[in-house]
Amino acid sequence: MTANTQPRVLLFGAGGIGTVYLWLLSKKSTTTAVCRSNYDVAKKDGFIINSSIFGQGIHFKPNVVRSCEEAASANTPPFDYIVVCSKAIPGTVPKWIAPVVTPGHTAIVLLQNGVGIEEEYRTAFPSNPIVSTVLYLPVTQRPAGVINHGETEGIEIGAYPSSAPDQHAKAFTRLIQSAGATAVLHEDIQLIRWTKLLINAPWNPICALAFSKDTDVLESYDGAPGVIEAVMLEIRDIAVAHGYNITMEKVQFELSRAKARIPIHAGIEPSMLQDVQTGRRIEVEAIVGNPVRMGKAKSVKCDRLELLYVLAKTLDLHLGRKLDA
């Protein structure tokens, strides 16, 4: 890429979040999207984005392909960024994106949930920079091709590992900021990952298993807020054991945000609940399994989290069998 050339970006996973950021990046980049389940709709009609921040009824028709092999066969210059916005299912995405990763050149940007997700990319692509991010973007895609985005947008960015050179993280931050996103660069993104896990680790599996929004869970039983807080505290204890300090005040703040939505009937459908509703597999390892293993490695008590892992893992296996049938 030269100073007079737009960066070339391939987005892998054009769900709700991916499509919003693809639309933004298309303002400053040459973009291509790998679409899977929504390929036919995206190819024929593109996307409609309804956003409380960016506007309603935005029609966006990107260049789409069915696979990374198809993108690689176009015989175009190498991609500068591969932006991964698919579910964090271990052992899958690195092999799928391999055809479009140019060793020593392509930066791999992970727009994925959870902790402990980056190492498999580092192992698969040892000469490529890894940029890790944490997202705050409440969004749904229902039906396919129609994106509904709420009133929050933010992306936290850092190099992986934190000791790695950060020029690619800085460059991606500047790029997405110039496109209109709210982006912040961090020296160590892992603290931000653990902090978001305070929200994701309890709410995602519980809402998916209960088939309910977060506010419905809180209203189900007087002791429900205490259960959610207990799971959050286990996440905090695991994070602290790994060197990332999260205060009790932060735990209480995150719980209070959900409580505040009850009077205004503004419950949230976490991503796992959306996946279960549409019969897709869930990010059980990234959000629940990895924290449990990391807790046990430090002898941190995490009984509630481990129970959620067993239940969510069972649900994920059930969803996987249905998809394979």
Side-chain angles (χ1 to χ4, degrees):
M1 184 179 67
T2 67
N4 298 319
T5 304
Q6 285 192 327
R8 301 191 70 248
V9 177
L10 179 83
L11 179 102
F12 183 84
I17 289 174
T19 300
V20 171
Y21 282 116
L22 180 70
W23 172 68
L24 288 171
L25 287 166
S26 69
K27 300 173 183 293
K28 298 293 181 178
S29 314
T30 301
T31 58
T32 298
V34 176
C35 297
R36 291 176 293 173
S37 61
N38 58 358
Y39 173 83
D40 291 336
V41 170
K43 184 70 174 178
K44 181 176 181 292
D45 300 318
F47 296 93
I48 298 295
I49 299 174
N50 299 308
S51 170
S52 298
I53 296 176
F54 301 115
Q56 301 292 312
I58 300 166
H59 183 232
F60 173 48
K61 194 169 185 180
N63 177 44
V64 299
V65 294
R66 289 187 183 274
S67 67
C68 290
E69 287 84 357
E70 182 180 343
S73 69
N75 196 29
T76 55
F79 289 101
D80 300 300
Y81 298 100
I82 306 298
V83 179
V84 178
C85 202
S86 63
K87 296 297 176 187
I89 308 297
T92 57
V93 179
K95 64 183 179 183
W96 290 339
I97 67 172
V100 288
V101 176
T102 300
H105 176 82
T106 307
I108 300 167
V109 183
L110 304 180
L111 274 63
Q112 294 180 302
N113 282 319
V115 293
I117 66 164
E118 299 97 344
E119 195 59 32
E120 66 173 333
Y121 293 92
R122 190 183 185 197
T123 299
F125 309 109
S127 66
N128 294 86
I130 308 296
V131 179
S132 185
T133 77
V134 176
L135 302 172
Y136 299 92
L137 193 81
V139 65
T140 60
Q141 182 173 188
R142 193 183 299 141
V146 178
I147 312 300
N148 293 298
H149 168 219
E151 297 180 350
T152 302
E153 184 278 316
I155 177 169
E156 315 271 357
I157 301 171
Y160 180 84
S162 60
S163 58
D166 64 355
Q167 65 264 31
H168 292 89
K170 287 180 177 177
F172 185 77
T173 302
R174 291 192 297 267
L175 173 63
I176 204 162
Q177 285 174 337
S178 71
T182 304
V184 178
L185 181 69
H186 295 271
E187 290 185 6
D188 191 345
I189 193 65
Q190 297 307 313
L191 173 60
I192 312 302
R193 282 197 170 274
W194 280 107
T195 302
K196 189 178 180 185
L197 206 62
L198 287 177
I199 307 167
N200 277 339
W203 287 125
N204 264 286
I206 289 175
C207 290
L209 291 160
F211 221 68
S212 300
K213 296 179 180 180
D214 58 353
T215 50
D216 295 329
V217 173
L218 287 175
E219 291 186 286
S220 67
Y221 159 57
D222 290 344
V227 173
I228 300 298
E229 182 179 87
V231 178
M232 289 181 169
L233 289 173
E234 289 184 352
I235 290 295
R236 184 198 64 169
D237 291 345
I238 299 168
V240 169
H242 284 271
Y244 298 100
N245 185 44
I246 298 174
T247 65
M248 184 65 187
E249 288 75 18
K250 181 62 175 176
V251 173
Q252 293 172 339
F253 170 74
E254 294 298 349
L255 183 58
S256 70
R257 292 176 63 202
K259 290 179 178 178
R261 292 192 289 269
I262 295 175
I264 59 175
H265 307 289
I268 287 177
E269 296 180 357
S271 60
M272 277 191 190
L273 173 57
Q274 295 181 45
D275 290 336
V276 171
Q277 289 170 333
T278 53
R280 298 191 299 262
R281 295 194 66 181
I282 58 179
E283 295 174 295
V284 63
E285 300 299 343
I287 294 176
V288 192
N290 287 350
V292 167
R293 285 183 282 272
M294 294 170 78
K296 287 182 173 294
K298 296 288 187 177
S299 300
V300 177
K301 187 176 177 64
C302 52
D303 294 347
R304 291 176 178 85
L305 191 65
E306 187 172 22
L307 176 59
L308 287 177
Y309 177 50
V310 171
L311 295 173
K313 181 70 172 179
T314 303
L315 175 60
D316 182 58
L317 291 172
H318 172 72
L319 292 167
R321 291 189 189 105
K322 288 185 68 175
L323 289 171
D324 293 339

